[in-house]
């Protein structure tokens, strides 16, 4: 759809900024500085909400969402850089080969994950049409919401903990099992509840037109 061309071009700018945001965020997670992480995310989210709603009210349309997303990455990056000592360096070290090998495998794995997570959307869209795809995406996102909310909260803590005991495999496995149990205990009740209240929940939250979800 030609209408999405400008949106995609604008959103693609995020690929040039996101790596700097990610590296600084990981450094803060490694140091278990979750207070700074939370402050940055809150400030970024609030500024994005204000900017997106303002642009939408001025008639910018769907571009307001793209601009808001780009704003979130820029604000987060600037705030992260302010609180960390890492900055880009153009010098080449002897370990560049190891870094490239790691980056290649990491990128390949991530590409496979993204492709696998999009196959169902492509099939639903091609076979059943965009209207059904909209209902499917809404249903899938709601079902994933409890898991993603708890996972995002625990992921940072787990990463920091595992990074400090990375040479103790037995302890690492034990900690991973504890995380799975904690996530299951927290999310399964919400998922079971959704089975029984899905119709009323979707009707109340999104309106009757979204009931097919």
């Amino acid at each position: 759809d030609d209408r999405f061309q400008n949106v995609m071009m604008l959103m693609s700018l995020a690929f040039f900024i996101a790596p700097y945001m990610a590296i600084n965020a990981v450094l803060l997670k490694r140091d278990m500085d979750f207070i700074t992480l939370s402050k940055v995310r809150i400030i970024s989210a609030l500024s994005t909400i204000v900017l997106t709603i303002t642009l939408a009210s001025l008639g910018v349309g769907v571009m307001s969402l793209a601009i808001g997303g780009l704003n979130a990455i820029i604000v987060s990056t600037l705030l992260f850089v302010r609180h960390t000592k890492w900055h880009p360096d153009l010098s080449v070290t002897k370990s560049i080969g190891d870094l490239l090998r790691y980056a290649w495998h990491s990128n390949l794995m991530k590409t496979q994950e993204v492709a696998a997570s999009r196959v169902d959307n492509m099939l639903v869209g091609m076979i059943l049409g965009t209207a059904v795809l909209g209902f499917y995406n809404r249903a899938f996102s709601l079902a994933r919401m409890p898991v993603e909310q708890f996972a995002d909260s625990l992921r940072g803590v787990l990463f920091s903990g595992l990074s400090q005991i990375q040479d103790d495999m037995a302890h690492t496995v034990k900690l991973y099992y504890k995380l799975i149990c904690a996530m299951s205990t927290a999310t399964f009740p919400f998922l079971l509840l959704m089975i029984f209240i899905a119709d009323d929940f979707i009707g109340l939250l999104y309106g009757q037109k979204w009931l097919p979800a």
Side-chain angles (χ1 to χ4, degrees):
D1 192 325
D2 293 336
R3 294 175 298 175
F4 298 138
Q5 182 174 350
N6 292 333
V7 175
M8 294 299 294
M9 292 176 64
L10 180 61
M11 292 177 65
S12 67
L13 296 176
F15 289 104
F16 298 95
I17 307 172
Y20 304 103
M21 177 189 71
I23 292 173
N24 285 287
V26 167
L27 291 175
L28 290 173
K29 289 180 181 178
R30 186 190 63 183
D31 297 334
M32 302 189 80
D33 188 358
F34 298 109
I35 294 179
T36 300
L37 279 169
S38 298
K39 289 180 179 179
V40 170
R41 287 170 178 169
I42 291 172
I43 295 173
S44 174
L46 290 177
S47 66
T48 299
I49 290 172
V50 172
L51 177 63
T52 303
I53 293 177
T54 301
L55 292 175
S57 64
L58 295 175
V60 178
V62 70
M63 287 293 289
S64 61
L65 295 174
I67 296 173
L70 192 61
N71 171 81
I73 294 178
I74 294 174
V75 171
S76 297
T77 301
L78 294 176
L79 292 176
F80 280 142
V81 169
R82 181 182 177 186
H83 289 89
T84 58
K85 298 179 180 180
W86 181 88
H87 299 285
D89 190 352
L90 297 179
S91 62
V92 179
T93 66
K94 293 182 180 180
S95 62
I96 190 69
D98 294 334
L99 291 174
L100 288 176
R101 279 192 293 272
Y102 170 79
W104 163 249
H105 289 115
S106 178
N107 185 59
L108 182 61
M109 181 187 69
K110 193 64 178 179
T111 301
Q112 291 174 337
E113 288 179 358
V114 172
S117 65
R118 298 293 184 270
V119 168
D120 54 341
N121 288 321
M122 291 189 290
L123 290 176
V124 172
M126 287 189 299
I127 298 174
L128 302 177
T130 55
V132 176
L133 177 60
F135 294 131
Y136 175 79
N137 277 331
R138 180 63 63 199
F140 190 84
S141 63
L142 284 174
R144 289 287 301 169
M145 189 178 296
V147 179
E148 290 176 346
Q149 291 298 319
F150 285 105
D152 288 342
S153 300
L154 294 174
R155 186 180 295 117
V157 179
L158 178 68
F159 173 84
S160 301
L162 293 178
S163 67
Q164 297 182 27
I165 61 170
Q166 53 187 305
D167 296 325
D168 189 344
M169 184 57 64
H171 195 179
T172 299
V173 172
K174 184 178 180 180
L175 184 60
Y176 179 77
Y177 282 150
K178 284 186 176 181
L179 174 70
I180 296 299
C181 291
M183 287 184 57
S184 301
T185 303
T187 58
F188 280 7
F190 288 99
L191 297 175
L192 290 172
L193 181 64
M194 192 69 72
I195 294 175
F196 298 103
I197 68 168
D199 290 345
D200 295 332
F201 181 76
I202 292 177
L204 178 65
L205 194 63
Y206 297 107
Q208 296 298 311
K209 64 181 181 180
W210 284 100
L211 283 180

